[in-house]
Amino acid sequence: MSEKIKITIDGIECEAEAGEYVLNIARANDIFIPAICYLTNCSPTLACRLCLVEADGKQVYACNAKAKDGMSIVTVTENIIKERRAIMEVYDVNHPLECGVCDQSGECELQNYTLEMKVDEQHYAIRDTYRPVKKWNYIHYDSSLCIVCERCVTVCKDMIGDAALKTVPRGGDKLDKSWKDTMPKDAYAMWNKLQKSIIGATTGEELDCTWCGECISVCPVGALVSEDYHYTTNSWELTKIPATCAHCSAACHLYYETKHTSIENPEPKIYRVTNEFHYQPLCGAGRFGFDFENRAEKDPKAFEAAIEAFKRADTIKFSSYITNEEALILQKLKEKYGYKLVNEDALRFKKFLDSYAEYSGQSLPSADVKAVHKSNFVISVGTALKSDNPRVRFAFNNAIKMNKGGGIYFHPIKDPVIEALGKTLVPVYHKPGAEEAVLYFILENFADHEALPKYIREYLDSLRETRTKEVEETIKEKVKETVKEKVVDEETGEEKVVTKEVEKEVPKKITKTVEYTISKLYDMVDASEDLLEKLKKVLDKRERSTLILGEDLYTHPRAENIAKLAGLIDRFTDFEVLLIPPKTNSLGVALICDLDEEAGEYTIGYNVKGDFTLSALGDGDLDMPALNQQEGTFTNIDKRVVPTNVALPYKGYVLNDIARALGVSDKEYTIEFTKELPQEKGYKAIEFDDLPNEFLNDGTEQRGYVLETHKVNLSRKNVEPIAELPEFNGTVIYRCEPVLQFSPFTNKAHQLATTAKLYASETFMQEMGLAEGDKVNIKKDDTNITVEVELDDKIGSGAYVGTFDPSVDTSALFAGYRFTEVTIQKV
Ligand code: SF4
Ligand code: SF4
Ligand code: FES
């Protein structure tokens, strides 16, 4: 626990933790200190120097000055005013006067601080140099607008983990030396640096990254903007709608920013998505995949047909891209009419969660994403983190960078992006299926063995064996040496040289065979025997640890046993456990609905194909609203019930209309169900309109509420030993979405739309004799799909196909587990 201290800022007493940055303490206490370059949760770079303050009489930068008990901070002095004003004048030197059309105008920090520092005259000047515009895929960079605050560089390195941007030489004129003597010191230093740099890609001309767009979000001026948004509107014309990203289970906070489509078309349109970058990053799917709405009108005939279909159906099959309230409506339909509710991903997740809970003793996982941010040791198992849940990847990176942490990434597919997060992150690439052994490996190395149930301890003991190895050792060997020595003859007094033999010790390297004990688990998971030795430095400083578990485990043939092991890890190690729900609202559906294994004879499909299909993709028998057209809540990875809002109107029917027609609902609006979500599962009786959706200045997340976790009776059932699985031979592929895709909804967005491919690593393509653009048949049993091959240079081995393109049904290739054996033939 950090020590609590007190400091005063401009006479206001503030409580803080020892070592916190003064700027963060000020912000948490609603005290304004000007600052451009600093980003919360990232390292201070001192690029702007605006945050100059006086601490106990000495000038320091608030963004990197660590608070000490009793410290007295003054935020404004005569000199500080002079420095800040000069800094803003310098920022304005040669800044193009194009505010009238600039995308950032109206929310530009350069404009704001220029006014704040009362810059009404310019004292500085220098010849301008040509600064180019770059188009990097989704990103437009205008270096003439760039103030080189380096926020983009910092966020990409410390938060996202791609480190794709850096400062590069600008070729600007050198400052005249006389400025040094005549202008305020910090303003001169900042100007000197500013003249030298612009921003470039670390890989050369082209930017090579995972396209989160967080650099756009953090840019205080109009230098980095979304190519799609560039020059489409003025920012002040947009309506900011606080909502929740509907693409994955992180369910991040975001704003849909809307305005009428055009002068002729008053219909609202989403122009862009923004996020509270100081508190929560957003990935590229959330940022660029926003227009997945379903524009539909009421079709009474289709509605009547839907009611008839419901009367006939015995099953409702649905995806987890629905709100908690819709899940509750489906459950109520089941309770009244006995429908089977079928949702494979949520059912698997629920079973995993139940088994985990019986062994951890808690109804819900112990960790949230914040726990990862705060950890200094993180292990990830069973998830292609980069694609499955980008925010968890960002948190893992942030823990490595900001807490000087480290960790292990267990997965069968090599991932150079994950490897690049830091040298203290060691990847262990195991065979598909070895995940059960990986969890035993964690118990072996991190559990309190004395506290473990006896049979587990004995099993772990049985896996240890004695091996021998050759080690080099330096010993001291006695050798005899003949030395010459001058002696004085006692009789004659003359000096003479005599030879004598002396014994001395010299170091000698020998190789010897030693015995040592090691667990066979190292071999089973393909970990090198010195794995923990490599991590010794971070392990020695380990204070808080998180274990991230993902969908490979929920779909694993041994999922139940793996879940029990996860529960044991929670109980008998100091790891907190984070489970990544496979889809946006898998956790909500798992908690709210009583799910069934098998579908019956006649199926209503909701966002999946059924005999009668309700679809928010606009491809069914009755249209439904997409999740950017709905009010409601999701239950996210943080066990948080987060609200989302309507960004775009929807004129068709909603699930509540069907429930009303079938006598299951008497509510006018779907959100009237929010307060009725099941309290025995941890939900609270709170009205939708009373749910907050914001972050406080100190970073506190005030979004909805966190589910109550309750105690679960510990199970006496036995955890089983590792099962022998059939080996994966031949060609193995993985079910995974490419970066920026999650589902048909991301693929519907105009910036992300693409067709399904076989995404292959270079090694896979070489082994299979494939080239980019080749068409291949992927065959398993009776399923046969034809797709193009695309090189994914962001994986280092293997190949995968996704489920995001409804025109290519890959689901039948995977009977559960995410790795599957197929045959691949060039067409
Ligand atoms: S592009 Fe924007 S965020 Fe990056 S250095 Fe320039 S002004 Fe700062
Ligand atoms: S889009 Fe994301 S990964 Fe790419 S440069 Fe910007 S911050 Fe870095
Ligand atoms: S915010 Fe402290 S130097 Fe820029």
Side-chain angles (χ1 to χ4, degrees), residues 141 146-152 199 219-221 223-224:
Y141 174 56
C146 176
I147 58 168
V148 202
C149 67
E150 296 181 42
R151 282 207 319 214
C152 52
I199 298 302
C219 184
V221 293
L224 282 167

Side-chain angles (χ1 to χ4, degrees), residues 36-37 39 47 91 95 136 140-143 145-155 165-167 194 197-199 214-225:
I36 292 185
C37 67
L39 287 169
Y91 272 139
H95 193 85
W136 289 318
H140 181 102
Y141 174 56
D142 185 340
S143 58
L145 294 170
C146 176
I147 58 168
V148 202
C149 67
E150 296 181 42
R151 282 207 319 214
C152 52
V153 177
T154 309
V155 83
L165 296 169
K166 61 175 182 181
T167 52
L194 184 66
S197 340
I198 52 169
I199 298 302
E214 193 68 4
C215 49
I216 296 173
S217 183
V218 300
C219 184
V221 293
L224 282 167
V225 293

Side-chain angles (χ1 to χ4, degrees), residues 23 34-38 45-51 61-64:
L23 181 60
I36 292 185
C37 67
Y38 180 71
T45 57
L46 301 188
C48 79
R49 298 173 181 236
L50 267 187
C51 67
Y61 304 105
C63 69
N64 88 334

